[in-house]
Amino acid sequence: MMKEVPESKVEAPITANANENPYEIVKSLLKNSVEALGLTEDVYRLLEKPIRVLEVSIPVRMDDGTIKNFTGYRSHHSDILGPAKGGIRFHPEVNIDEVKALSMWMSLKSAILGLPFGGGKGGVIVDPRELSKCELENLSRGYIRAITPIIGPEKDIPAPDVNTNPQIMGWMLDEYDRLRGYNVPGFITGKPIIVGGSQGRVEATGRGVVISIAEAAKKLNIPLESAIAAIQGFGNVGSMTAKFLHELGVKIIAITDVKGGIYNENGIDIPSLRQHVAETKSVVDFPGAESFDSDKLFGLPVDFLVPAALENQITEKTAPQIQAKVVAEAANGPTTPEGDRILNEKGIFVIPDILCNSGGVTVSYFEWVQNNMGYYWKEEEVNTKLEEKMIYAFEDVHKMHEEKQVNMREAAYIVGVGRIAEAFQARGWINDWSMPFKCKA
Ligand code: NAD
């Protein structure tokens, strides 16, 4: 039986500051890490652009009988470590540069986590709030038909992102299976468990965020039982992060979503809040907290600040207010370069997005493995394997941070780029870490 797509998955514009172009930001970070590793510029040339970007038009028959044409994209940044992998975003502000940047971040996440994947990402320019359930299903199926030539379990494996969810993955899976004429569960991840989804995938990104926060707390000697946190965003990632922090005894004093904020200095009761959000689609009017001005969230004196909503939130305007000891980037690209510079100056420990939120792609990898084997794991097994991989990746990045005396973001880029460069070398694209390539003829 079909389930309704939750309204809470439908949100406002992603890019708060139109002047911040994520594609330019990620290119500049890549360039710096290529230099820090002493690699030739050839490596940057190989990484600066996605290997392919597809733009598609998706004609959808609307409920009133007319046809509307939607624009969608799919970007493959790299397939050097394995098939491209990355989510699909439905949002009115999706644009080609955002999709390219998101696919580049996916390459880095997979490299940091040691997953056999390259980077991919897709998006459709649409405000899903304006579609009926039937139109949304037709759009989801139409997008898969349009990008079919470049996807598949050995080429590119999509997954959910902002405003897409397991139900949409289920429709997409069904469309792909119909086109192929047989079941191909490993073509998409984040799908409902009954059609090959993995146990623990819905919780995976938030669980991974909390594993990295716990690792950071150990390094910084912050006892979790007496720690305080604030969270921006209460969708999939924000709500799961809140759930697992709460279970560890962390007091979450403030949470915001697109409609407003709530505050309770004694700590918000997260299980009751999740129930309230399931019923009302927002944290606003939660009886166990007072209402709160969302603009004040970043200035709260907390141990952990978790942006789990949008890009470009920590900027030259908001970063000076931040008092947190740790900023855990659950969202992709929440910090602008200027915001980052200020966080560094203030000595705030940042767990960068490409490490912090990589629990999602890790369990997507487990889902793909289970689909390919046709043998499924219990949730405990998934969670144990996720924890091992997250802690290992955190340690790798932290070691690099200490060895090279760079911040955690720079360290994460160096680890990711270093692994991709190693693969370029193994495949013969670059000769030596410092030598220019010479064709042996
Ligand atoms: P979602 O659509 O489930 O939730 C987004 C949340 O952000 C909602 O609660 C919404 O109300 C809130 N929000 C929107 N605008 C806001 C604002 N101005 N102020 C405060 N809150 C606001 O999306 P999601 O899947 O939770 O993704 C959130 C972020 O995490 C995105 O950057 C996404 O790319 C990233 N991410 C998601 C996954 C995943 O598995 N879903 C994995 C890795 C990274």
Side-chain angles (χ1 to χ4, degrees):
M1 222 173 71
M2 298 274 187
K3 279 193 206 138
E4 287 292 332
V5 176
E7 279 170 37
S8 62
K9 299 294 287 180
V10 179
E11 298 306 346
I14 285 293
T15 310
N17 175 355
N19 295 325
E20 297 294 350
N21 181 328
Y23 182 44
E24 297 305 324
I25 294 172
V26 67
K27 278 199 295 185
S28 135
L29 286 160
L30 282 173
K31 200 168 193 358
N32 292 346
S33 35
V34 166
E35 282 164 12
L37 281 161
L39 294 163
T40 65
E41 202 168 332
D42 288 352
V43 178
Y44 177 67
R45 293 283 160 251
L46 290 167
L47 290 174
E48 68 178 334
K49 292 179 186 175
I51 54 171
R52 71 180 65 83
V53 183
L54 182 65
E55 177 177 328
V56 294
S57 42
I58 313 154
V60 174
R61 176 84 61 194
M62 307 301 279
D63 291 349
D64 65 4
T66 60
I67 287 183
K68 196 166 171 189
N69 220 335
F70 294 88
T71 301
Y73 305 101
R74 187 79 194 163
S75 167
H76 294 171
H77 171 244
S78 164
D79 58 3
I80 207 78
L81 289 172
K85 178 92 192 79
I88 297 166
R89 180 174 286 198
F90 282 180
H91 200 280
E93 295 209 346
V94 160
N95 61 73
I96 199 157
D97 278 358
E98 182 191 60
V99 174
K100 284 181 186 174
L102 286 160
S103 71
M104 290 157 105
W105 282 321
M106 289 307 298
S107 295
L108 291 161
K109 282 184 213 183
S110 289
I112 292 167
L113 267 290
L115 310 178
F117 286 141
K121 202 77 179 194
V124 177
I125 305 172
V126 59
D127 184 346
R129 281 174 299 192
E130 293 172 358
L131 302 187
S132 69
K133 183 182 167 193
C134 183
E135 290 165 343
L136 186 62
E137 178 175 346
N138 288 340
L139 174 67
S140 305
R141 289 178 182 276
Y143 176 67
I144 290 305
R145 281 196 300 278
I147 64 166
T148 286
I150 65 161
I151 53 175
E154 307 88 8
K155 286 196 264 187
D156 172 15
I157 305 119
D161 191 66
V162 172
N163 289 337
T164 56
N165 59 17
Q167 173 60 85
I168 292 176
M169 299 303 109
W171 292 330
M172 291 179 167
L173 172 75
D174 186 64
E175 191 64 25
Y176 191 79
D177 286 354
R178 281 165 190 241
L179 290 168
R180 286 282 169 268
Y182 52 90
N183 281 11
V184 194
F187 124 82
I188 202 161
T189 59
K191 53 196 175 285
I193 287 175
I194 190 73
V195 286
S198 177
Q199 300 287 345
R201 174 61 185 88
V202 170
E203 298 86 358
T205 309
R207 191 183 286 279
V209 169
V210 174
I211 293 167
S212 17
I213 290 176
E215 290 307 294
K218 276 189 219 155
K219 303 282 180 205
L220 302 172
N221 293 321
I222 303 171
L224 290 175
E225 324 73 68
S226 55
I228 297 174
I231 302 178
Q232 183 196 45
F234 204 73
N236 172 285
V237 180
S239 67
M240 288 301 162
T241 300
K243 171 179 152 58
F244 296 120
L245 280 179
H246 182 76
E247 285 174 7
L248 289 177
V250 175
K251 197 161 75 173
I252 301 161
I253 59 167
I255 299 177
T256 59
D257 68 17
V258 72
K259 294 187 180 152
I262 56 170
Y263 178 84
N264 182 338
E265 66 173 345
N266 298 316
I268 296 165
D269 177 2
I270 300 300
S272 308
L273 176 64
R274 290 183 64 213
Q275 195 158 349
H276 171 82
V277 172
E279 286 158 15
T280 68
K281 316 292 178 209
S282 173
V283 299
V284 170
D285 294 333
F286 175 57
E290 57 196 75
S291 83
F292 174 71
D293 178 355
S294 301
D295 289 344
K296 295 195 178 139
L297 186 88
F298 287 169
L300 289 171
V302 292
D303 297 290
F304 310 126
L305 176 66
V306 186
L310 315 172
E311 288 144 27
N312 297 335
Q313 295 300 295
I314 300 178
T315 62
E316 72 273 26
K317 285 202 189 113
T318 55
Q321 306 161 20
I322 294 178
Q323 302 186 50
K325 295 187 184 118
V326 175
V327 169
E329 293 185 337
N332 282 311
T335 308
T336 67
E338 190 55 20
D340 208 24
R341 191 187 58 73
I342 296 166
L343 295 182
N344 276 324
E345 271 174 18
K346 295 176 84 160
I348 293 170
F349 188 92
V350 176
I351 312 173
D353 49 5
I354 53 173
L355 170 66
C356 189
N357 69 33
S358 55
V361 66
T362 303
V363 176
S364 275
Y365 163 57
F366 297 156
E367 184 171 328
W368 178 77
V369 169
Q370 292 170 80
N371 294 150
N372 292 344
M373 289 194 297
Y375 178 70
Y376 290 84
W377 307 338
K378 293 202 170 110
E379 186 174 353
E380 204 187 340
E381 188 172 353
V382 171
N383 294 344
T384 306
K385 286 182 156 75
L386 169 65
E387 189 167 10
E388 270 172 17
K389 279 213 163 286
M390 289 295 306
I391 292 176
Y392 197 80
F394 187 97
E395 273 305 317
D396 278 352
V397 172
H398 193 263
K399 217 181 286 166
M400 186 64 76
H401 153 71
E402 287 188 326
E403 269 172 30
K404 288 221 174 249
Q405 294 288 299
V406 293
N407 66 39
M408 285 288 282
R409 189 184 315 283
E410 289 161 336
Y413 272 76
I414 292 172
V415 170
V417 168
R419 291 203 178 132
I420 296 171
E422 212 181 313
F424 279 132
Q425 193 176 350
R427 286 170 177 271
W429 281 88
I430 55 169
N431 210 10
D432 183 284
W433 281 52
S434 51
M435 300 274 291
F437 183 80
K438 285 195 188 76
C439 183
K440 293 188 185 78

